[in-house]
Amino acid sequence: MLLLILIWAAGHTWLDRIGSTRWQQTLWVGVFPINAEGTASVQHYLDTLSGQDFSDVESFLRREAHRYGRTLDRPVHIALYPQVRQLPPELNRSAGMLATIAWSLRVRWYAFRAASLGGQAPPRIRLFVLYHDPAALRTAPDSHGLQKGLIGIVHAFATPAMAGMNAIVLAHELLHTLGASDKYDLRSGFPLYPDGFAEPDRIPPYPQLQAEIMAAVRPLSATQFQMPASLDDVVVGPRTAAEIRWIQSR
């Protein structure tokens, strides 16, 4: 029985992987907002959200897909789904491999139980976006995108002033669910050369004018980097494009 379950899980994961990166039809993504601290100010922000608030992510992916020769008019559609009251399981930063696997399974069970569709069609990818009060929290916790299960746990700030940065984080985690890997050093946060550089052949190399989405920041010097204000200054690099099957691997 256990063997059958493992075979089913592996097959389901493979089908998710293939189905979500064929790019023959629009990929449907659902955003489930969560009031991370339960405050009135964050709740007010959530109550004013609409699907239009995620149009920058759609436009970014359309622009970059077309740059790699994908002709689908709307590669990704992001729809706003009902708010979720229950917080997702947390992943300890020091978690080992077994603890991370266990957390991943808990997240998949959480997503199955928490995602109320409110009469809407089920999305292929579910992004649970935890909104925080910027007055109470200076740095958001780590976000995570899981390819197995096509689930994202995204931390964002409940203020229009940070909408551009929220969009970068959401796009980054969305691409994780499609198989894209991080392009930065996990200890320092500095983009990895060359895949984490938007223009690896630029002379001189610094400052980089744009950021690669899976690095999320642009190098200003050999030791300094900065997160762009919006997706206008972000690109999908060739390595990431290959990982999400926009182009063939080199």
Side-chain angles (χ1 to χ4, degrees), residues 162-183:
M162 299 190 71
M165 292 186 179
N166 288 344
I168 293 173
V169 176
L170 193 146
H172 178 98
E173 300 306 332
L174 170 56
L175 291 181
H176 267 316
T177 70
L178 299 176
S181 61
D182 283 322
K183 307 295 188 300

Side-chain angles (χ1 to χ4, degrees), residues 135-173:
L137 190 70
R138 295 185 60 185
T139 304
D142 292 337
S143 297
H144 304 280
L146 306 179
Q147 188 177 6
K148 293 181 179 179
L150 301 178
I151 301 166
I153 306 295
V154 183
H155 291 272
F157 286 105
T159 172
M162 299 190 71
M165 292 186 179
N166 288 344
I168 293 173
V169 176
L170 193 146
H172 178 98
E173 300 306 332

Side-chain angles (χ1 to χ4, degrees), residues 8-18 108 147-150:
W8 175 86
H12 192 268
T13 298
W14 182 82
L15 289 174
D16 275 345
R17 163 69 170 155
I18 298 300
R108 294 172 74 171
Q147 188 177 6
K148 293 181 179 179
L150 301 178

Side-chain angles (χ1 to χ4, degrees), residues 39-115:
T39 62
S41 60
V42 172
Q43 189 59 49
H44 174 73
Y45 182 85
L46 265 57
D47 291 341
T48 63
L49 282 176
S50 71
Q52 188 63 28
D53 289 300
F54 307 98
S55 61
D56 286 354
V57 179
E58 287 191 12
S59 298
F60 164 72
L61 293 172
R62 181 188 304 117
R63 181 191 79 208
E64 293 300 291
H66 290 179
R67 194 165 64 83
Y68 283 100
R70 290 288 168 174
T71 58
L72 189 63
D73 181 61
R74 196 178 196 180
V76 172
H77 170 64
I78 300 179
L80 183 64
Y81 279 74
Q83 296 178 31
V84 173
R85 305 300 176 186
Q86 181 184 357
L87 297 177
E90 292 186 19
L91 176 64
N92 193 308
R93 284 193 173 189
S94 61
M97 183 179 67
L98 292 179
T100 301
I101 292 173
W103 169 82
S104 174
L105 293 173
R106 290 199 302 272
V107 166
R108 294 172 74 171
W109 178 243
Y110 162 84
F112 173 76
R113 297 183 61 193

